[in-house]
Amino acid sequence: MPRMIKVVCVGPATSVCGGISRITEMVRNRFPDHIHFRIVATFSAYTGHDQPERGFRLVQAAVFLWALLRVLFAGVFSRSTVFHVHLAQRGSTLRKGLVCILLRLLRCRYIVHCHPSEDILFNSWVPKPARHVLLWGIGGAQYIV
């Protein structure tokens, strides 16, 4: 019997409209029985001033903090876990960059899967030193797809 493998997919909730959500939704039930796959959502709804019904920033901040705690718990207490981090651009790069920094500091195994639809990774307000630290976290992945 194959060894149990735990995969934690870090990205948007499957309820969010978008390509990354569709990918994780399609693959989550298609793994063999010896692969335990779960999703840790870093956000559950888009936010914006012009569309308040799409989510509130405070709620999304709480969703992200809960995701960080779940990643921390899985990284500390389950050393056999492999993390699959999905990122796009701008806010996604910021959120997943912070997750990758945590994973790298914990010396976890992780893969970064990039899905940018633009060539702008960071918001313009993110200072260069912060960008370098975020890229350090992302660059610690065993593989970048």
Side-chain angles (χ1 to χ4, degrees), residues 13 33 35 39 41 48 73 75 119 133 136:
D33 291 338
I35 297 178
I39 297 170
F73 183 78
D119 61 353
V133 173
W136 173 81

Side-chain angles (χ1 to χ4, degrees), residues 67-115:
L68 278 179
L69 287 172
R70 290 179 67 194
V71 167
L72 176 66
F73 183 78
V76 169
F77 295 109
S78 182
R79 303 303 297 169
S80 64
T81 301
V82 176
F83 294 87
H84 186 172
V85 181
H86 292 272
L87 67 86
Q89 69 275 340
R90 300 181 192 228
S92 177
T93 305
L94 185 60
R95 286 188 305 274
K96 298 343 172 311
L98 291 171
V99 169
C100 288
I101 289 168
L102 178 62
L103 292 171
R104 188 164 186 181
L105 290 172
L106 292 173
R107 298 182 179 191
C108 295
R109 296 179 298 166
Y110 61 104
I111 297 163
V112 174
H113 195 153
C114 302
H115 304 263

